[in-house]
Amino acid sequence: MSIDEVKKRVKYGGAKGGFAMMKKRGALILACVWVCAGVGSLLADNRLKDVFLHQGPKAESSLELGKLVLYFSNRADFTLLPLTESASLHRAQKSYFFPQTKVGADAASAMARVSRVHHAWYSVQVVAVQKPIEGVRVTLTYDPEKIEVYDQFFDSIQLNKALEVMFYNKELKKRLVTGLQTPLLRRAANEKKKHGVIVDCGHGGKDTGAIGYAQLQEKEVTLSVGLRLAQALQQNGISVFLTRDADTTVPIDRRTSFANSVADEAGLLVSIHANMAKNEAASGVETFCLERSLFFSLADEPDKKFAQCVSRLLDDRYAQSKLLAQQVQDSVLACTQKKNGALCDRQVKQAVAQILLGTQLPAALIEVGFLSNKHEALLLRTKSYQQALANGICNGIIAYLRSIA
Ligand SMILES: [Zn+2]
């Protein structure tokens, strides 16, 4: 196959129907085709491998009302299709098209399952289409007053190319973001410098969190690491506030309101979780801070000086959360390495998580390892490894407190 022929097939922009691809992605695919030219047409090889729709918990109190994940063999590039007239006044639609993508053998039943999921505020339809070009179309139908849609690409380590589409509780998100304004300004004016730590052990009680290899439950790991962390912090003279200290069910909004109620005595929050992936080879530690764009902006504020001042404070809060996340990440990697050799550093990332968004203090969420990875699950259930993780988080927090002192 000549390069020109390859180019012709790469340029989706040339196809009828106006499916323009982003240039950068086109170039990336071209480079890949060039390398794999012997394999034949790579474009024809893209397949939808699997699709999941996780429904969030109770609608009223939860920020994350659903998460749609689409896994592809080669690429998750899409174009947004022009909207058809929506069926009802209170429904909005968003339609993604994944061009020149076939439905993989295992995906067909998953597509049907996803399309059957019923949520009062949204629905999803995934269908294979043949014209004007072959591909997969994903249509979201949702109540625009209740739901905010957010999508991002992600690469689950080594294998899949994937797109994640989140359905957020719009009203709650707005309330949480607006709620940040007053405490932030108050915090800046506050001369007291107390740096207690809020330790949030993820899940608990009825909410087991992820269940991994050998039925290991996320809620057990997070509680044990969290209690050990609390002890380590106290031994260093730092006061601790726990969102739970037993196997109890605590909704996230209760955790965040508790955190905000002790904001005068605490300087930060760390939330502990454990990871789960479809790819059993995925492993390592990653730490999240709140997505920068969610620290809200005052673009419409008429008092420009005030808006600038708030914006500086928000930059500062983001920077503090990011620094906290980085210190925790680095120090956990260092501590576990002593115990068990080098772990995969999945780095600090930004996320939209309710615990981070709802907490007015600098906050980080650490995923201490993968329950779906046999090797890590076996480690995560041992007391000595839980202690190494707790020591790592504790050292990271101390390093952070020193750096902002
Ligand atoms: Zn979790």
Side-chain angles (χ1 to χ4, degrees), residues 202-203 207-210 218-219 222 271-275 365-367:
H203 312 279
D207 172 14
T208 60
E218 183 179 355
K219 67 171 186 178
T222 60
S271 182
I272 301 164
H273 286 257
N275 240 328
L365 184 156
I366 181 164
E367 298 274 4

Side-chain angles (χ1 to χ4, degrees), residues 37-324:
V39 184
S41 170
L42 191 74
L43 290 174
D45 274 354
N46 197 38
R47 273 168 298 129
L48 174 66
K49 288 177 67 183
D50 215 339
V51 49
F52 287 99
L53 178 58
H54 308 277
Q55 281 204 76
K58 266 189 285 158
E60 299 306 322
S61 64
S62 176
L63 178 67
E64 291 142 37
L65 297 179
K67 179 160 91 169
L68 176 74
V69 192
L70 299 139
Y71 294 99
F72 296 88
S73 60
N74 292 347
R75 58 182 192 280
D77 297 319
F78 63 84
T79 53
L80 287 175
L81 294 177
L83 295 177
T84 50
E85 295 209 356
S86 65
S88 123
L89 271 177
H90 302 291
R91 291 278 133 170
Q93 279 196 331
K94 189 169 185 183
S95 205
Y96 301 81
F97 184 68
F98 300 87
Q100 285 164 321
T101 299
K102 289 187 192 315
V103 173
D106 302 331
S109 57
M111 282 163 62
R113 208 177 314 127
V114 161
S115 301
R116 277 198 305 269
V117 168
H118 182 80
H119 189 283
W121 295 344
Y122 65 81
S123 65
V124 175
Q125 226 202 4
V126 186
V127 290
V129 291
Q130 301 304 326
K131 290 177 182 172
I133 48 173
E134 188 179 28
V136 172
R137 189 181 66 218
V138 177
T139 305
L140 321 176
T141 306
Y142 56 96
D143 183 337
E145 295 190 350
K146 306 276 194 198
I147 293 282
E148 197 171 308
V149 171
Y150 178 92
D151 57 54
Q152 63 181 8
F153 292 107
F154 74 92
D155 278 286
S156 146
I157 179 171
Q158 298 161 352
L159 289 174
N160 300 307
K161 305 283 176 196
L163 182 75
E164 213 174 39
V165 180
M166 309 290 298
F167 297 97
Y168 288 120
N169 184 333
K170 193 172 185 177
E171 201 271 327
L172 178 59
K173 188 175 147 199
K174 201 167 131 196
R175 212 155 18 103
L176 290 168
V177 173
T178 314
L180 290 173
Q181 185 177 352
T182 323
L184 255 171
L185 295 174
R186 187 204 57 183
R187 239 175 65 73
N190 191 349
E191 292 301 309
K192 275 191 288 180
K193 285 225 164 174
K194 288 194 181 169
H195 292 305
V197 172
I198 302 158
V199 175
D200 175 50
C201 305
H203 312 279
K206 275 184 264 172
D207 172 14
T208 60
I211 297 178
Y213 179 78
Q215 301 301 305
L216 182 58
Q217 298 187 354
E218 183 179 355
K219 67 171 186 178
E220 299 167 29
V221 175
T222 60
L223 182 62
S224 180
V225 173
L227 292 177
R228 288 166 195 280
L229 170 61
Q231 196 184 34
L233 289 165
Q234 281 161 345
Q235 282 164 0
N236 282 280
I238 297 169
S239 50
V240 175
F241 305 86
L242 283 154
T243 56
R244 71 175 176 105
D245 59 3
D247 185 18
T248 46
T249 311
V250 187
I252 299 183
D253 51 352
R254 243 173 60 205
R255 297 173 193 239
T256 53
S257 55
F258 167 73
N260 295 335
S261 74
V262 297
D264 278 339
E265 294 151 85
L268 61 99
L269 175 141
V270 171
S271 182
I272 301 164
H273 286 257
N275 240 328
M276 188 78 187
K278 199 173 151 52
N279 172 13
E280 286 166 21
S283 71
V285 173
E286 57 193 0
T287 307
F288 294 89
C289 61
L290 185 63
E291 161 107 11
R292 173 63 184 96
S293 63
L294 289 177
F295 284 88
F296 97 116
S297 73
L298 287 180
D300 302 330
E301 169 62 45
D303 183 345
K304 290 295 165 223
K305 265 198 177 147
F306 173 69
Q308 271 174 13
C309 167
V310 171
S311 169
R312 265 199 304 275
L313 286 167
L314 292 170
D315 281 339
D316 186 50
R317 180 172 183 253
Y318 170 68
Q320 285 190 20
S321 289
K322 198 175 165 208
L323 178 64
L324 170 64

